[in-house]
Amino acid sequence: MQFYLDGYRPGDPEDRPAAPGVEPAAGSGALPEEVDVLVVGTGPAGVVLAAQLAEFPGITTRVVERRGGPLELGQADGVACRTVEMFTAFGLSEKLLREAYWVNETAFWGPAGSGIARTGRIQDVAEGLSEYPHVIVNQARMQDYLLEKMRTSPHGSCRTTGSRPPTSRSCPGAAITP
């Protein structure tokens, strides 16, 4: 619940309204005849690019994805401290760090008698590398952060429907082959 100079506004306070004169892409069902940037795929590179482009009102960007729904299981859940820095630029690092498992050190184990014993441990992130930690967050969750960033962009150029990325079914003008 947020109060503003002009009164109460329901909903997520980080969900910014569309910029004047901008038609959001959400729910349009088809690609426009022409776009400045068409991002194919919502892998890490695709969603980072689209989230960044969503901040520029003069660039019409659309994202297409062959999956029939959102990513449910990630393939790379380790998040380097430099990636956390990038999420800071998007205003998402606090949320990421709240939900993440922090990796503070790495332990090494070896045989010892009839069992195993810890043989050593080291700090996970080298001193001075970054002010942020190495963390573990499901890749699907990280994708959700970026898709939400696109959806709530005031410029609407990359808006998606809910947390689900557009698919070949929702963008019939795109020829997508597996």
Side-chain angles (χ1 to χ4, degrees):
M1 181 167 92
Q2 292 290 318
F3 289 89
Y4 297 88
L5 293 176
D6 58 349
Y8 168 75
R9 186 171 72 202
D12 186 343
E14 294 181 15
D15 192 356
R16 300 170 290 168
V22 173
E23 283 294 319
S28 64
L31 286 172
E33 286 291 319
E34 190 174 310
V35 297
D36 296 317
V37 179
L38 178 64
V39 178
V40 180
T42 57
V47 292
V48 167
L49 174 63
Q52 183 65 53
L53 290 171
E55 294 298 316
F56 295 92
I59 302 174
T60 303
T61 306
R62 294 295 184 267
V63 179
V64 293
E65 172 59 56
R66 70 177 175 185
R67 283 190 309 268
L71 182 66
E72 293 180 11
L73 183 62
Q75 296 145 340
D77 296 341
V79 182
C81 51
R82 296 290 189 195
T83 303
V84 179
E85 290 177 13
M86 179 201 61
F87 269 65
T88 299
F90 287 114
L92 300 171
S93 64
E94 288 182 19
K95 183 184 290 190
L96 176 97
L97 292 172
R98 275 194 312 269
E99 295 182 22
Y101 170 79
W102 291 35
V103 180
N104 296 318
E105 66 180 15
T106 301
F108 297 93
W109 299 81
S114 62
I116 63 170
R118 184 168 42 207
T119 59
R121 60 183 172 193
I122 60 170
Q123 183 177 337
D124 186 68
V125 176
E127 193 67 41
L129 178 63
S130 175
E131 63 185 283
Y132 295 103
H134 172 205
V135 297
I136 296 175
V137 175
N138 184 281
Q139 182 182 358
R141 183 66 180 127
M142 292 184 62
Q143 183 188 58
D144 285 345
Y145 298 149
L146 292 165
L147 291 171
E148 182 68 11
K149 177 73 173 170
M150 291 166 16
R151 188 187 70 74
T152 61
S153 165
H155 306 301
S157 62
C158 282
R159 288 183 182 231
T160 61
T161 304
S163 63
R164 180 184 170 122
T167 66
S168 58
R169 288 184 286 284
S170 67
C171 297
I176 302 172
T177 56

